[in-house]
Every structure is written in C-alpha cells, then in structure tokens.
C-alpha cells in the first residue's frame, strides 16, 4: 500500500506542476497596499459610514475568525446592511483589484469564509438580511442570507401552528450546525446534514434566488422580466454557460463522471451537475444551480426561495450494534437500497467508547459495554405521516436487516438478535440517541491537548464501498499516531466525518498533517472513488486536491467557469480552486494556551446566536480568540516594536469590546458544544483588574458590610426620580443621566421611562405559634421560606404600569391563597446573593454576602427541610452556584417552578388574558425550566408568545450602564401587535424589555395572582 500511495503522491505533485505553469489569477498575486485599499475605502465611504468600516486590530482579528483551522487577517471588515450596498461595493472592488469575501455565520469548516483582503460581513448587523416570507401552506419560503437555519424552521413551525395546517414543513438541509449557521452559508456550501441526504440539499430544493453579480448587476430568477433583461445584458456570460453545457453533455465520459460523483454527497469543486441536469438552452437555470455550493466565488446570493419538505410528526429510533465495521456498513448499504429509511448514522469503536461513558446510553444499549475493537453501530430513524405509516417503515427496515443475514451484537462471541435493538417511540430515548450523535464532535474537542486544534475532515464514497474506506482510514490514523481520531457520520450517504486533534506548533506537526492529508485524499478519491468533501465545502482545505479527485478535464472546466463568472478574480480567490499545491498547509491557525477556562474552545461559533453583544462588539468566540492573541503577544520573549504596539492597542480596545460589553450571563455555554462559559473568563478578567484597584475593592467591601443602608435608601431614591419624571418630563432626565454615565465611566445608569418606582416596604409575617404536642398531624405542613431578592425589595413597578403592588406583595398573596405559612429569613434587609459584586469582579465581597445568606437560609429552612422560594431567577442561580451546604441544594426553588409544582393544585385558575408575552431569563433557561413558564402562563391566558430573545443583555444593572447592550439585543424583540402584557421573573430584565417593546413587562406572579383564587373545598 505504501509504495502505491507514494506513486500517487508523486502523480499528484506532477499534476500541480502542470497547473502551476498556467498564469495565476491577478487577485492571488499579493495583498500589499499599493494604494488600492485606500482608494477602495475612499469610494465606499461615500455610502458606508465609518462606523461600519473596521481596520483596527481587535475587530479585524475577531471578525476574521471562522470555524476552520486557518487564519487570515483581513485588512478591512465592512458590515454591509443590504443588497444595494453589495451592488455598489463589488464594482469598486473590481475597479481597484481588491478581493472580497462574504461572511455569514462563520461556521464553515474548510476556510472558505476568511480572507487577508476585505471581508464583507452580513451577520450580526441588526435586522438586516433577516427578512422572510412564508408562502401558502409553508411548502415554500423566501429567506434572506442572515437568517439562521433553525430560525427558518421555527418560523415554518409557527406558521403551521397559527394557521392550524395539517402538515408542518422545514427546509431540506439539516446540518448539525443548523441552530448557528445562516442561510447564506447553507446556500454557498450546499450544506446537507444527517437526514436530508442528497435529495433534499439546497441544490435539489432551491426554487429561486436573487443574486448580485461581480459587476453589481442583479438577477432575480423568480422574475421573468429580470431573467429576460439579464439574458440581454450578460449575453457573453449566458452564451458561455450554454456553450459549456453543450460541450459537457456531448462528452459521454465526462457526463457519466459528473452524474456518478453527484449520486453521492459531493461538495468538492463546483456544482458541475448543473451542466448535465438542465438543457443547454436554459442558461439561467444552470446559472442558478452553479451558484449553489460556489462558496462566494461566483456572486452574492441576497435572497433564496426554498421548496420545503414535510416534517412528519411520528418518529422512532433504534441503535443497532454490529461486531465489526464492515457488517455495519453493509447494513447501511442494504437499508439504502431496499428501504425508504429516513436517517442512518454510523458510529465507530471510538464513538462507542464515548457512548459507554454515558449511563443513559448503557441503559438503552447494555451490550455496548466492552465491545470488540472493530465494533460499530447504526443509529436508524424512521418517520411517518401517521402511526401506521411509521409502523410500515419500521417493518421494512427489520425485513431488510433480517434478510441481509448480518451478525449483530457488540461482541462477535456473544451474538444478538435484532429484537435486542428495538425502535423507541418515546421522544426521551430518541433524544438521547441523537444528542449523543451530535455530541461526538465536541467530545474530541473537549479532550484534546491544550494548544492543539480540533480538525474535522468530511469525506464520502459510494455506500457499498463505505466499509473498506472506513477500515483504510482507521488504519491510516493509527499509523500517523492520531490516537484520538474518530470516524462516524451519515452512513446512508456514505458520508464520514473524521475528527481528530492536531497541533501546528512545529514543522514536524505540520508535516505530519500534510502527509496524512495526502494519503487520506488518495484513499478517498482514488482508491474508493469518493468525495474529499461530502458536505462541508471545498474551501482552502482541499482546493489543492480538486484535480486529484475530478481529473484534469473537469478541473479545467471549473477554472473556465470561474473566469466566466468572475473574470477579474475578486470574489473569494484561493477558495474552491487554488493552483498552490501547498495551500492546505499554509495560514494554519495556531491555538495558543490562554486560560483553562477557554482552552477547550474550538471556535465553532455555535455560541454567537445567544450573545446579546453580537451586533455591537464581540461574540463569545471572538472574545476568546482575541484573548488568545493577547496572551500570545504577552508571552513573546523578543517582541518587535510592531508587536508591542499591537498588544497595547488591542489590550485597550478589549476593555470595552471584550470585557465591558459582555453580559457574562453564561448563555453562550448553553450553545457551546464543549460547555465553555465565556462569562467566567470575563469575570476572571474583571477580578484581576480589581486586584490592581484596592480602593474599588474596599468600597465594595464597605457596601457589602452595610448593605441594609442600600436596601433602605434605594426605594426612596427611585421614588424621588420617578417624581422628578412627572414634573420635568423624560428628556431632561435621560440627557442628564447620559452625561453622568459618560463622565463617571459608565458607573451611573442611563435613565429610561420604564425605570421602576421604589418597592413598597416588605411586611414580614408574624411567625405562627408552635403546635401543641397533644395535637400531632401526619399532613405535610404548608410552610415555605420566602427570600425576596434585594432587587424586588428595592424596585417596584414603573410609573407607567397599571400595577402598583410590588413582587413580594403578589407572592405573599399567592402563598396566602394556597394556605402556606411564610417564613422570611432574619435580617432580610441586609441579605444579598452577591451577584452584583461577583459580576464586577469583587470576589471577596461576593463570597462574604453569599456565606451570610447561606447561613440565614439554613436557619430559616430548618436545615433545608422547608422549601425556599427566591423570587428572582438570576439571584436563585447565583445562590445555587455558590452554596456549600448540600441540604440547601434541593430546597431552593425559582418562583415559577414552585408555583407549578406546589401551588397549581391548591388554586383555581381562570384565563384572564387573550395573549401574553413571556420572557424566560437566562438563569431560568440554564436551569431548564422554560416549559414551566409556558405551561403556567397557559393556565392564565389563551395564547402565550415567547419573547424569542436568548438574553436581553441587562445582566443585573450592566444594561442600564451600557444601554447599547440591551438595545442591540432587544432590537430583535418582535411581539404581536395585539400583545399588551409581558411577564418574566427578573425585575431588571422586565424593565429593559418594557423599554424596548412599549409593553409593560412584570413578574409572572402578577398574572398568576390575578388569574387565581383559593381552591374551593
């Protein structure tokens, strides 16, 4: 095998020598400043404000980062807001020879979304590029490139619910990153996924598109007038496309190659199938499909219309284990050829080893423990429009597998029957199976050595060759010492993901990677006639190997297409096609050790959609990558003057971009596949900053020790400000508070009309007399400890609210209706969970208040015997994170959780609202109680509308001190017109939500109190 491989490697090198003899595209000749960038900036400044042009080292470094293992720093980043701006920018770029690259979510893995020239960023630009229109019953939808794939599916689901439609639809592509990647990337990469296969990818489900060409012209394929005008204005392009299609269709050998390649997943090179799938005299249809998967090298897709696919409601999953890889792959081939099964995912032995560590998985598949060294498994899913249809599909799968006569069981010495691996209809075990599958990639990322990167290769081959290819790849990884490598993927399509860790810290490490890549490409493309990229796009990663896979004739055809669409080579040069045979080992991204908190970050970008600051400064991924660069610069022994200056400038900018505007709420952790909380990093930075500021630490300590003074004075102050508002109006208060905010370095909050009045005084209930010993009762006592958080003790409703009572009054009312005796901790006015100190970096003050509160709760709850209700979700989360007494851990309740489990059966409910909005605070989401919010609100209103906001950005009072943070997050708040009430469980969040919606948000206890009466005996 080694000798055969070496000869192929030499052949590969010789083909590149042949390719290099041809002239390189002009845009690849260099990225030096010869005046072109200055001229480009001058011209675009006529219509792009300076605030959306970034050349500073923090933003260019941060925005230039994507999910791949390549690093290029753009000279400039431009946040574009609409198609018109793109139309004006592209001709200017062509005029000055300035290459541009389009960027959506940046979750691409092959290096197609990075550049060392100009990055045109359409993500995280507010509401721009986020329009959509659902057509009819939802069987088609028109979307813009800034929408996240999962968002589109939720829009379609909401459309089906609202209109009570019999069928719910979704878009065909279902990549594992669907809740993070955007339509722009899904189209540009022709993304697929676990269930969509080939037939439901973008190429096969896209109906129409609107595309901006390199000269700034627009083609709308859904518009007959636009098509006809384009045929006239771009005669040379459409004639060239037709000519290439005729040439290909008349070449039997080439046509057969193209059809064979695209019978399986293939995103290597361009979508040449467009040249054989459509008549040569329909160049617009060919152009439309060539654009799919072109990775931003042909044009910019500003709008796409999808033919959607049904989301059948009935599903079942089975996890079937085989004693060896070849048997599992044969099973996948049988299922593909003999059934209509919906999804089949393959797990290798390394994947099963991770499953063994999961108790729930072992309970579902017990014989997996101690599986043979080459054991493998298939995760199989069937779907149906009805239960009967689902049952028929399952029986079809069983019949095919039994007929194949394959060995079953994790150990060859202990064979199993197919009945040992039943289909589960219950969503809980099914979710476990699929969660484990989705978690395989981050498991390697989390376990890798600090300083290394996680790499994901993506290959495919005909399903009947899958077993052989997989065995060859496993053996290859063993020889090269990739001991953590795992091979798994979409078996139904012959598509494998190869996940492993790799360092780029030395020439030896880079050479090992290069040698492995050469052999992998031979195994996949040559030996097994497969695709070097099944669904992740060519990018830079396999651009040098496109000719190896496709052959010279098809490869040169691709270059002809590139020159036809983009004759000046300004659109994303170096991606998809690259004459440099070593392009795949250049510009490799280092992963310097920075902090144990974030060293595991794989820079996938999944976190970004949850971040409230994504539209104004940085996202969690960007905060981490810049922090890594700062640490790298600080660690340099002999830094150059340029590096020293770069460190100084970046450190200063990071204070605001990285630290000040981070909400530190941890919602990024909820989306992070390796569970990193970037907020913890920022809190650590703030703590380190406070160590150099003893005055601030002393002030914090004084405030903590004298908290009762704050608790008593704030309500009076808030009432005074509210009174001033009624006298002088809103404008003077807002203007003066903004001035003070600026002069004090953001210490003074910026006033808004929904600022609260002071809370009414807390009425501590008189303790009930102890029961006489002569009257024992076996009934559980209705007794609860109530901790009103400091924020609800100080802040009441806003002056504009029709409600006048404070949160604690409403909860006391509910406790009374349900017959509960209420205990309030002693000296409650001096108690605080410590979050207001912790979020600012005052760890000692936070710990002091936390310990004081824990002692008070222990006493009040009789050592944890009584339930404890904390009326503010974020405060409860803070308490849970720091308590040391195990007895308290299971006694603490968030108000919604307590009401649902302990009060619902003791109260009579009636619906008092037609429609209400509910915002679940970050802390409640992290505690997993979102469902309780909607169910409890649903007892009180006919319709419950979720806010749709992951985090409002308030973060205690940070959103008041940095109002741009809440403004950026809540610009996406889109409540129905008829909605007049909103509810949550965090007073500061409610204030911000009210300010940005014009709807009074208040605690959910207000709605429940209004909707309930004591249950009649």
């Amino acid at each position: 095998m080694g000798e055969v491989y070496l000869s192929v490697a030499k052949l590969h090198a010789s083909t590149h020598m042949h390719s290099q003899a041809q002239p390189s595209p002009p845009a690849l000749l260099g990225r030096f400043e010869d005046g072109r960038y200055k001229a480009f900036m001058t011209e675009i400044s006529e219509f792009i404000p300076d605030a959306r042009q970034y050349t500073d080292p923090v933003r260019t470094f941060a925005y230039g980062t994507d999910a791949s293992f390549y690093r290029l720093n753009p000279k400039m980043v431009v946040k574009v807001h609409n198609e018109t701006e793109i139309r004006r920018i592209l001709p200017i770029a062509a005029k000055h020879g300035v290459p541009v690259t389009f960027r959506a979510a940046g979750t691409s893995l092959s290096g197609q979304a990075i550049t060392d020239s100009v990055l045109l960023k359409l993500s995280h630009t507010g509401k721009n590029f986020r329009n959509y229109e659902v057509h009819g019953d939802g069987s088609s939808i028109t979307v813009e490139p800034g929408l996240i794939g999962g968002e589109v599916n939720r829009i379609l689901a909401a459309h089906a619910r609202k209109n009570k439609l019999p069928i719910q639809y979704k878009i065909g592509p279902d990549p594992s990153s669907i809740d993070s990647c955007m339509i722009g990337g899904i189209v540009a990469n022709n993304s697929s996924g676990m269930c969509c296969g080939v037939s439901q990818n973008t190429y096969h489900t896209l109906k129409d598109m609107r595309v901006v060409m390199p000269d700034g012209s627009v083609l709308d394929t859904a518009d007959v007038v636009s098509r006809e005008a384009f045929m006239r204005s771009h005669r040379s392009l459409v004639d060239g496309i037709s000519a290439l299609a005729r040439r290909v269709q008349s070449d039997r050998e080439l046509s057969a190659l193209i059809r064979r390649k695209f019978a399986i997943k293939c995103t290597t090179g361009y979508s040449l199938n467009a040249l054989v799938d459509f008549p040569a005299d329909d160049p617009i249809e060919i152009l439309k499909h060539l654009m799919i998967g072109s990775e931003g090298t042909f044009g910019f897709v500003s709008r796409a219309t999808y033919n959607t696919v049904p989301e059948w409601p009935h599903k079942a999953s089975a996890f079937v284990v085989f004693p060896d890889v070849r048997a599992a792959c044969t099973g996948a081939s049988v299922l593909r050829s003999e059934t209509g099964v919906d999804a089949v995912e393959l797990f290798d032995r390394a994947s099963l080893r991770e499953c063994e560590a999961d108790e729930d998985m072992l309970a579902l598949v017990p014989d997996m423990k101690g599986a043979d060294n080459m054991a493998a498994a298939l995760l199989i899913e069937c779907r149906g429009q009805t239960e009967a249809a689902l049952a028929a599909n399952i029986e079809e799968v069983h019949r095919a597998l039994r007929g194949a006569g394959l060995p079953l069981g994790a150990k060859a010495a202990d064979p199993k029957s197919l009945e040992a691996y039943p289909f589960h209809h219950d969503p809980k075990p099914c979710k476990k199976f699929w969660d484990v599958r989705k978690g395989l990639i981050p498991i390697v990322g989390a376990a890798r050595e600090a300083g290394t990167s996680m790499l994901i290769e993506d290959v495919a081959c005909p399903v009947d060759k899958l077993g052989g290819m997989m065995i060859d790849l496993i053996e290859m990884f063993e020889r090269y010492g990739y001991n953590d490598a795992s091979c798994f993927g979409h078996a139904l399509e012959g598509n494998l993901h190869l996940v492993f860790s790799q360092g780029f810290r030395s020439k030896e490490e880079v050479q090992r990677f290069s040698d492995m890549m050469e052999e992998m490409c031979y195994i996949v493309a040559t030996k097994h006639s497969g695709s070097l990229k099944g669904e992740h796009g060519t990018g830079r990663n396999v651009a040098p190997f496109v000719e190896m896979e496709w052959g010279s004739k098809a490869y040169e055809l691709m270059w002809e297409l590139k020159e036809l669409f983009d004759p000046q080579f300004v659109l994303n040069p170096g991606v998809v096609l690259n004459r440099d045979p070593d392009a795949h080992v250049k510009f490799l991204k280092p992963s310097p050790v920075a902090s144990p908190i974030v060293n595991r970050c794989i820079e996938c970008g999944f976190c970004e959609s949850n971040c409230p600051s994504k539209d104004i400064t940085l996202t969690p991924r960007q905060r981490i990558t810049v922090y890594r660069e700062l640490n790298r610069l600080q660690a340099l022994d002999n830094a150059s003057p340029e590096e020293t200056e770069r460190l100084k400038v970046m450190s200063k900018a990071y204070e605001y971009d990285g630290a000040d505007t981070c909400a530190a709420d941890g919602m990024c952790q909820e989306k992070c596949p390796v569970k990193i909380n970037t907020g913890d990093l920022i809190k650590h930075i703030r703590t380190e900053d406070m160590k150099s500021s003893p005055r601030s630490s002393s002030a914090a300590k004084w405030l903590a020790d004298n908290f009762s003074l704050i608790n008593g004075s704030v309500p009076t102050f808030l009432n005074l400000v509210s009174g001033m508002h009624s006298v002088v109006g809103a404008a003077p208060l807002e203007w003066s508070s903004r001035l003070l905010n600026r002069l004090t370095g953001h210490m003074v909050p910026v006033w808004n009309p929904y600022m609260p009045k002071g809370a009414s005084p807390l009425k501590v209930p008189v303790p009930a007399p102890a029961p006489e010993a002569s009257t024992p009762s076996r009934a559980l006592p209705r007794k609860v400890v109530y901790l009103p958080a400091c924020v609800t003790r100080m802040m009441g409703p806003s002056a504009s609210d029709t409600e006048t009572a404070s949160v604690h009054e409403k909860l006391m009312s509910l406790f009374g209706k349900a017959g509960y005796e209420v205990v309030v901790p002693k000296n409650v006015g001096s108690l605080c969970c410590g979050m207001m100190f912790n979020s600012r970096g005052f760890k000692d003050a936070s710990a002091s208040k936390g310990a004081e509160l824990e002692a008070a709760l222990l006493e009040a709850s009789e050592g944890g015997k009584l339930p404890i209700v904390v009326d503010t979700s974020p405060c409860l989360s803070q308490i849970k994170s720091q308590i040391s007494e195990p007895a308290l851990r299971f006694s603490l309740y968030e108000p919604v959780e307590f009401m649902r489990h302990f009060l619902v059966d003791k109260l009579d409910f009636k619906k008092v609202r037609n429609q209400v909005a509910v915002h679940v605070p970050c802390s409640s989401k992290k505690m997993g109680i979102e469902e309780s919010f909607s169910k409890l609100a649903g007892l009180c209103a006919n319709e419950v509308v979720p806010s749709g906001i992951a985090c409002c950005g308030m973060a205690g009072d940070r959103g008041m001190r940095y109002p741009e943070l809440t403004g950026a997050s809540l610009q996406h708040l889109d409540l129905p017109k008829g909605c007049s009430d909103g509810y949550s469980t965090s007073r500061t969040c409610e204030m911000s939500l009210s300010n940005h919606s014009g709807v009074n948000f208040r605690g959910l206890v207000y709605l429940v109190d209004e909707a309930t009466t004591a249950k009649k005996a």
Side-chain angles (χ1 to χ4, degrees), residues 843-898:
K843 293 291 185 184
D844 290 343
S846 174
S848 170
K849 296 308 292 179
E852 179 186 4
L853 177 60
E854 182 172 344
L857 291 177
L858 265 174
E859 180 183 356
S861 66
E862 300 174 14
K865 293 178 182 178
L866 301 178
I868 304 167
V869 177
V870 183
D871 62 16
T872 301
S873 297
C875 298
L876 174 63
S877 179
Q878 173 70 19
I879 294 168
K880 283 189 170 184
S881 71
Q882 65 190 5
I883 56 174
S884 58
E885 177 54 56
L888 284 182
R889 194 167 300 278
F890 299 103
S891 301
L892 291 160
Y893 289 91
E894 194 264 3
V896 172
E897 193 178 19
F898 184 84

Side-chain angles (χ1 to χ4, degrees), residues 252-269:
R252 283 189 173 185
E253 183 181 359
L254 183 56
S255 293
L257 171 67
I258 291 170
R259 288 193 174 95
R260 177 174 62 79
K261 294 289 294 176
F262 287 103
I264 62 172
K265 285 188 178 182
C266 179
T267 59
T268 311

